[in-house]
Amino acid sequence: MVIRKASLYIALTLALLLAAAFSLGLGAVKIPVTDVMVILVKKLGFFSEYTISIQHEGVMNIVRLPRVLLGILVGAALGISGAAVQGIFRNPLAEPGLIGISAGASLMAVIVIVLEMALFAGLSNLLGYYLLAFGAFVGAGIAAMVVYQISRTDGKSNVATMLLAGIAINALAGALTGLITYMADDQQLRNITFWMLGSLAGATWETVIAILPFVLLPVFILPYMGKALNAFALGETQANQIGLRVNRIKRNVVILSTLAVGASVAVSGIIGFVGLLVPHTIRLLIGVDNKYVLPASALMGALMLTLADMLCRTIIAPIELPIGVITALLGTPLFLYILIKDKKKLIL
């Protein structure tokens, strides 16, 4: 089993590097693999005598490279957060969106898009391009904090209450988003629609650097909580009995997941099903031990989003599809499969 897990890590890493290399070369301007490799070598500070097209170098440095890196970061964030949230809920159908993180982010983003000039003129002058991302991140944080506080009783948080509070926050945020959308003009409606379906088209070096700490922190810390999440599978009472600080673990998982998902939604919009699809696929391949599922989910999430972004840019080029459409087309059949397969367990 250890060899199987090591093989999966190696396979996922190689597949991710290969997908990234293809994604860098494909698009409206096709760049040969040799040019891609030379530009990367030069980017790493090494000298190369190979002459390459200035246009190819410009497209790679300004457009493709930040976009591919952003896709890797967002995919890793969604994948590992989905695995962690499923761990504390003990439910393979759970994902960060279930506790209102995505809905809170989308509500604040829609508010910023529709009411930017009326209410956020001062902030817009201060934050400029980052106002929308900042609003989405704040919305995700507020939603997670409200859900967590509602779930607390006598200093302890209850997972079932957290789940129900998340459903209520999702419904409320959805209703308010719909209400504010009615106030939008045609241009704002187009922006809202594209943002709600997810896209990496706005990737720049600034967005990559902006979300880097918010993604790396959960990606490196959450795997250390894998053993504790394994104990959650036995139930919270049993986890308490073996000496785990259950409430602190739940709080830390929610905070780290909110950091990762909130930052991702802020720069790429809502990209559904990655947090659901990836951890379940990993469990089918290497079992349910969260020590291995969490880092593998980060790798597969990065791979899935890199491939999805490449598809959405090339299927009907030069027109670009929203990336959320691709992930939903892949994720919905698997979601239905899980639902049908486990429906007996879901009957209360």
Side-chain angles (χ1 to χ4, degrees):
M1 181 59 84
V2 174
I3 294 175
R4 190 175 170 186
K5 286 164 183 162
S7 302
L8 179 69
Y9 286 135
I10 293 169
L12 286 175
T13 304
L14 291 176
L16 177 59
L17 292 174
L18 204 60
F22 273 108
S23 188
L24 288 169
L26 294 176
V29 176
K30 289 187 171 52
I31 304 175
V33 176
T34 48
D35 282 14
V36 169
M37 300 310 296
V38 170
I39 294 167
L40 288 177
V41 165
K42 287 176 68 176
K43 199 75 183 171
L44 291 171
F46 297 102
F47 176 73
S48 173
E49 294 181 347
Y50 188 83
T51 305
I52 53 174
S53 159
I54 294 175
Q55 184 197 22
H56 289 172
E57 190 168 6
V59 170
M60 268 274 293
N61 286 332
I62 298 170
V63 181
R64 300 270 174 84
L65 204 48
R67 182 165 182 152
V68 169
L69 289 175
L70 189 68
I72 290 172
L73 288 174
V74 171
L78 296 177
I80 198 166
S81 301
V85 169
Q86 287 174 11
I88 60 168
F89 282 107
R90 305 192 299 280
N91 189 329
L93 298 180
E95 66 163 350
L98 202 64
I99 54 174
I101 297 174
S102 299
S106 66
L107 173 60
M108 278 302 292
V110 169
I111 289 174
V112 169
I113 290 171
V114 177
L115 304 178
E116 178 182 347
M117 295 310 296
L119 293 181
F120 302 105
L123 273 177
S124 183
N125 292 333
L126 182 66
L127 298 171
Y129 172 79
Y130 295 104
L131 177 62
L132 180 61
F134 177 75
F137 188 73
V138 169
I142 291 173
M145 187 177 68
V146 169
V147 168
Y148 185 72
Q149 289 300 326
I150 290 173
S151 72
R152 285 169 62 85
T153 306
D154 299 328
K156 297 178 180 177
S157 61
N158 181 285
V159 168
T161 309
M162 193 185 293
L163 184 64
L164 293 172
I167 292 170
I169 292 295
N170 272 324
L172 178 63
L176 290 173
T177 301
L179 185 65
I180 295 168
T181 301
Y182 272 105
M183 301 165 61
D185 58 29
D186 289 344
Q187 181 58 44
Q188 289 168 342
L189 275 176
R190 276 194 289 275
N191 290 339
I192 290 170
T193 303
F194 203 70
W195 193 86
M196 295 284 281
L197 291 173
S199 172
L200 298 176
T204 62
W205 286 110
E206 286 78 12
T207 55
V208 172
I209 293 168
I211 75 161
L212 194 62
F214 298 107
V215 174
L216 290 187
L217 201 64
V219 164
F220 282 109
I221 293 178
L222 281 173
Y224 288 103
M225 303 171 73
K227 192 175 177 182
L229 289 175
N230 287 342
F232 267 71
L234 304 171
E236 288 187 34
T237 305
Q238 287 78 2
N240 252 325
Q241 286 173 347
I242 60 175
L244 287 178
R245 302 174 77 171
V246 171
N247 283 310
R248 191 168 77 171
I249 293 166
K250 282 188 288 190
R251 184 190 62 215
N252 290 344
V253 168
V254 170
I255 290 173
L256 290 168
S257 299
T258 302
L259 276 179
V261 176
S264 302
V265 173
V267 297
S268 63
I270 297 174
I271 300 175
F273 285 106
V274 177
L276 169 69
L277 178 90
V278 167
H280 194 75
T281 307
I282 292 294
R283 289 191 193 95
L284 289 174
L285 294 171
I286 59 170
V288 296
D289 190 339
N290 283 302
K291 285 187 297 182
Y292 304 102
V293 169
L294 287 164
S297 294
L299 275 174
M300 182 170 270
L303 172 63
M304 180 180 173
L305 216 60
T306 302
L307 292 172
D309 182 53
M310 187 167 61
L311 286 175
C312 78
R313 287 190 288 112
T314 54
I315 287 178
I316 53 172
I319 297 171
E320 181 176 324
L321 287 171
I323 196 168
V325 172
I326 302 294
T327 56
L329 284 174
L330 294 172
T332 305
L334 183 72
F335 184 85
L336 291 173
Y337 165 73
I338 297 170
L339 200 62
I340 293 168
K341 179 173 169 285
D342 294 338
K343 62 183 177 183
K344 288 183 180 176
K345 297 178 186 174
L346 298 174
I347 296 173
L348 298 176

